Amino acid sequence: GIPGTEAPEWMTADTVIIATGAAAKRLDIPGTGDGPNGFWQRGVSACAVCDGAIMAKDTQSFVIGGGDAACEEALYLTKFASEVHLVVRRDALRASVVMANRVKEHPKIQIHWNSNVKEVTGRMEKLILHNSASGEDVEMAAGSLFFAIGHNPVTNFLPAEIETHPKATSSSPN
């Protein structure tokens, strides 16, 4: 049984909720990883609310993403950064119309359409933006970079018998 209880060793249930949280998605961009050659948590983050006040203060800050979360992060960073650059891989935002309009109309936010960050260089002082429509690479001064491209559920520890799904839901095969 379960120590300190009278519960039997095995129990059955129709539903079990395993609330493990989620981990931010990151892209494999040179200079953004962990370790001596990367700036993760030293200018690169996935949480503007957590790190923006320190990392973005008086810098050009970059946010990667095009959804509501990326727009919210960009708007939040305008409180601290001298300028915010929203890097969007497509030619449109996936964010709601209201959120997209707030970002497009904000004087401190510049949107880079059809673009991706190719590399972070220096000591998190510059990054290279690649425009997929023109093929052009541009080096820009940067003080911080924030990933806002979604989250993955933390379910990798679960046994194979528990089927998991990308939207953080799971169901037992039985």
Side-chain angles (χ1 to χ4, degrees):
I2 299 173
T5 72
E6 294 182 26
E9 190 168 324
W10 292 96
M11 289 186 243
T12 61
D14 292 328
T15 303
V16 175
I17 297 173
I18 303 171
T20 58
K25 290 181 181 177
R26 293 163 49 182
L27 299 173
D28 187 20
I29 300 169
T32 64
D34 301 305
N37 296 323
F39 297 101
W40 183 250
Q41 295 302 319
R42 295 179 295 145
V44 178
S45 174
C47 183
V49 172
C50 308
D51 302 318
I54 296 169
M55 289 185 184
K57 187 165 176 48
D58 301 324
T59 70
Q60 289 198 75
S61 292
F62 289 76
V63 177
I64 297 174
D68 281 321
C71 290
E72 287 178 25
E73 299 272 278
L75 287 164
Y76 178 78
L77 288 170
T78 61
K79 297 176 183 180
F80 312 105
S82 57
E83 192 171 355
V84 177
H85 299 268
L86 184 60
V87 182
V88 183
R89 66 182 169 153
R90 304 176 340 157
D91 61 356
L93 293 170
R94 292 184 327 271
S96 68
V97 173
V98 171
M99 188 62 70
N101 286 339
R102 284 183 191 155
V103 166
K104 290 175 183 176
E105 294 168 2
H106 200 289
K108 288 178 79 173
I109 298 176
Q110 180 180 349
I111 302 173
H112 300 272
W113 304 108
N114 301 304
S115 296
N116 58 66
V117 175
K118 193 172 177 180
E119 180 181 3
V120 173
T121 62
R123 296 181 177 200
M124 189 56 237
E125 298 164 338
K126 298 177 187 172
L127 55 74
I128 299 171
L129 271 187
H130 175 75
N131 184 293
S132 58
S134 69
E136 181 181 14
D137 287 347
V138 177
E139 186 175 88
M140 299 184 70
S144 57
L145 172 66
F146 296 87
F147 290 108
I149 56 173
H151 292 81
N152 288 320
V154 179
T155 56
N156 57 343
F157 69 94
L158 294 172
E161 295 82 24
I162 298 178
E163 180 183 337
T164 60
H165 302 281
K167 296 223 179 203
T169 61
S170 63
S171 61
S172 174
N174 296 336

